Amino acid sequence: VTGLELMERAGKGVVEAIFEEWPDLAKRGRTWYHPLRHQPKAVVLCGPGNNGGDGFVVARMLRKRGWKVVVLHLFPENKRHPPPDAYKNANAWLRLGKMYPFDDNDARHPLLSNPHPDLWIDAVFGIGQSRPLPALVTKMMHRVYYEQNWCTAPVVAIDFPTGVASDTGRTLQDFLLKIDLTVTFHGRKVGHMTAEGATRCGKVVVKSIGLEGSPRPPGGGEAPARGGGRGLPVVPPGETVTLVGAPTTLAKAPFSHKYTHGHALLLAGPPGYGGAARLAARGALRIGAGLVTVGCPDGALAENAARLDAIMCRPIADPTALAQTLEDTRLNALCLGPGLGPSETTRTLTATALAARRATVLDADALTAFEDDPAALFALLHEACVLTPHGGEFRRLFPDIHDRLTAPATQGPAYSKVDATREAAARAGCTILFKGPDTVVADPDGRCSLNSSHYDRAAPWLATAGSGDVLAGFITGLLARGFAPHDAAATAAWLHTECALSFGPGLIAEDLPEELPRVFRALGL
């Protein structure tokens, strides 16, 4: 199929998405000629590349539906023509209407003399932007959109909002249009679901342009970590990012028994600090671990036993006791960190646990305890480990990587959360789950998964104390059941979000494990 045909399909998909989202706009175009009705008006901002070519197609289609269309164009400073397909569509538009420059010096400019459009189309750069917009463009966009307070109409971005890097979701400039709807093609890009991109895109709609036989981005497959034409994976397989979907391997075999599904051990802190470990233990049990034990100092045994029934308790106060406990080889998954405290004891317990070479989740205080010497932790880790840092813990373990990630993005491709997690996993030599609404899971070999809690999967109720401890427990339980570290982390992250969506507002951490049965039933387990 030709690029020109793909561009035609893309423009048609944008118009379809607009009228599906705002059906009243479709009615206006067909009846504008009525003397008592207002002729609808669209402003299409077209850039110098193929995204601008899509914009010309949209302008032409709206014009044929009875709309008044104002097209603003931006060509490079050297006045070169846009790419061939975009150039052909620009000429096709010129047979129907005019184009105006991004220039606010002319008082007769249609946006200055006759404002109040019914629709804005952002077709300036899409996935191709790698640097901030020229000052002339931002000045004009700011004037017509903000300073005069003219824009109450919806704003639609083609492929990606201008000013946001499609491969990272990072913003490249201060001025950005407020996007209501982003229409992309073939599949979502990484930047639609990470960093600022996840909040700047408004609603994201994916339209087919006939590439279903090609490798798919997230939504059913993979997306490039670097921007490429139409979202196709144009980078090596190791550079792709898989969007985590519903798990298919959670059922238990009919004739299995408890030890078939593993025995998880979670360490708890001193009296009064056991809640985090109990939350994690409950999560491990609910997600299917055959047995779960909480190990804690002698003084905390009564407290934990009073709150736990199906979960066993065992006195483990020091590395010696932990080593003796781990002589039982049926203990195949460990979790350290929630409620332990960032102490020297936590460091020695962590070293003992890692020396046993069991599948191990390190969270919270087990990470912070190594803040002064991350290299000491990395030397202990092995390939069956999963680290689960949030932003602050990530900064403590990987300060240089964190600094690169939080540095202002001035050009693309900007350093992304995907890049940061991959680099951290390579340095640590194990799986890293970097928490957040855009949770990224990466292996040392570059394999990467993204659990996006945005758009229809937005779960703001997870911002509650203890929810991260439950996630650590979910991962631990799946490790006990025999899941590989990456798969355990990615599956747990998806289920964590799904439990929050299932429960809804008012969620507290204790609700998450108890919601798993409902989620499992919805999955048909």
Side-chain angles (χ1 to χ4, degrees):
V1 66
T2 66
L4 197 63
E5 174 61 24
L6 290 177
M7 198 170 285
E8 192 74 13
R9 296 176 188 177
K12 180 181 178 182
V14 172
V15 174
E16 288 176 352
I18 291 169
F19 293 150
E20 289 166 0
E21 185 69 17
W22 299 287
D24 60 310
L25 292 182
K27 297 176 184 177
R28 291 188 204 176
R30 290 194 294 267
T31 59
W32 69 266
Y33 51 82
H34 191 284
L36 299 180
R37 291 187 180 272
H38 161 71
Q39 181 183 8
K41 175 182 175 182
V43 176
V44 184
L45 311 176
C46 292
N50 285 326
N51 196 250
D54 294 341
F56 290 124
V57 175
V58 172
R60 174 164 44 84
M61 291 184 173
L62 290 176
R63 177 64 177 269
K64 289 182 177 179
R65 292 180 69 103
W67 283 60
K68 181 178 181 180
V69 181
V70 175
V71 174
L72 274 64
H73 69 88
L74 168 68
F75 289 139
E77 292 78 0
N78 57 14
K79 306 300 181 184
R80 290 185 303 175
H81 289 311
D85 295 332
Y87 185 62
K88 291 176 183 177
N89 276 312
N91 285 328
W93 164 252
L94 285 173
R95 290 192 287 271
L96 298 174
K98 295 181 179 180
M99 289 192 291
Y100 298 88
F102 277 82
D103 185 356
D104 65 349
N105 294 323
D106 188 347
R108 294 171 297 174
H109 196 291
L111 284 184
L112 301 179
S113 60
N114 184 23
H116 307 297
D118 300 280
L119 179 69
W120 288 70
I121 305 293
D122 174 7
V124 180
F125 279 116
I127 63 173
Q129 186 169 1
S130 60
R131 62 187 185 277
L133 288 173
L136 174 67
V137 179
T138 56
K139 179 182 177 182
M140 178 64 178
M141 292 172 71
H142 190 278
R143 180 173 181 184
V144 300
Y145 185 76
Y146 282 124
E147 289 186 2
Q148 303 299 328
N149 196 27
W150 285 341
C151 185
T152 58
V155 184
V156 178
I158 299 180
D159 240 344
F160 226 84
T162 296
V164 182
S166 65
D167 51 356
T168 64
R170 304 281 305 277
T171 56
L172 298 174
Q173 60 197 46
D174 293 333
F175 171 77
L176 296 165
L177 293 174
K178 184 181 181 300
I179 304 298
D180 298 290
L181 175 69
T182 297
V183 185
T184 191
F185 313 106
H186 191 50
R188 290 181 179 179
K189 317 304 183 289
V190 171
H192 288 133
M193 298 174 286
T194 57
E196 296 95 332
T199 57
R200 292 288 187 179
C201 293
K203 178 180 179 180
V204 177
V205 171
V206 179
K207 284 291 182 178
S208 169
I209 52 174
L211 297 178
E212 281 67 24
S214 304
R216 286 185 61 79
E222 298 178 328
R226 294 277 176 250
R230 295 290 179 215
L232 293 175
V234 294
V235 291
E239 291 295 316
T240 58
V241 181
T242 301
L243 182 66
V244 181
T248 58
T249 57
L250 285 169
K252 291 189 173 184
F255 301 105
S256 58
H257 54 80
K258 59 187 177 183
Y259 281 108
T260 305
H261 301 287
H263 188 172
L265 173 66
L266 300 94
L267 297 190
Y273 293 88
R278 291 194 295 270
L279 286 169
R282 189 76 174 175
L285 190 65
R286 276 291 188 196
I287 212 163
L291 300 93
V292 176
T293 295
V294 168
C296 61
D298 291 350
L301 274 174
E303 171 191 320
N304 288 314
R307 300 293 303 277
L308 302 171
D309 292 318
I311 295 167
M312 298 173 285
C313 295
R314 179 167 183 154
I316 300 176
D318 54 52
T320 301
L322 176 59
Q324 292 173 348
T325 300
L326 292 177
E327 291 175 2
D328 183 351
T329 57
R330 294 176 299 182
L331 287 162
N332 64 334
L334 312 177
C335 178
L336 290 84
L340 274 183
S343 63
E344 184 60 32
T345 299
T346 298
R347 289 173 64 112
T348 55
L349 285 170
T350 301
T352 302
L354 293 173
R357 310 292 289 185
R358 312 289 168 83
T360 304
V361 176
L362 298 183
D363 184 41
D365 294 334
L367 303 177
T368 302
F370 290 88
E371 177 180 10
D372 295 335
D373 189 8
L377 174 62
F378 302 153
L380 299 170
L381 296 170
H382 51 81
E383 65 279 359
C385 295
V386 179
L387 310 188
T388 60
H390 56 52
E393 291 156 356
F394 190 91
R395 175 182 55 78
R396 295 175 195 126
L397 290 181
F398 309 99
D400 56 324
I401 299 176
H402 179 269
D403 288 346
R404 291 177 62 191
L405 178 61
T406 56
T410 57
Q411 63 181 21
Y415 194 69
S416 72
K417 189 172 183 178
V418 167
D419 298 323
T421 310
R422 277 200 176 109
E423 187 172 343
R427 182 178 300 179
C430 67
T431 299
I432 302 287
L433 181 147
F434 193 171
K435 297 176 187 175
D438 50 353
T439 293
V440 179
V441 181
D443 284 352
D445 62 4
R447 180 186 174 196
C448 193
S449 299
L450 171 63
N451 179 63
S452 174
S453 298
H454 296 291
Y455 309 112
D456 55 340
R457 297 197 80 236
W461 315 289
L462 283 173
T464 183
S467 66
D469 302 317
V470 176
L471 175 60
F474 282 2
I475 300 169
T476 307
L478 292 174
L479 289 173
R481 294 186 59 182
F483 279 60
H486 187 113
D487 296 335
T491 301
W494 189 90
L495 290 170
H496 195 241
T497 298
E498 203 67 17
C499 286
L501 293 173
S502 177
F503 190 93
L507 175 82
I508 59 175
E510 288 94 324
D511 300 321
L512 289 165
E514 310 316 310
E515 198 65 21
L516 268 177
R518 186 189 303 271
V519 171
F520 287 162
R521 286 192 293 272
L523 291 172
L525 298 180

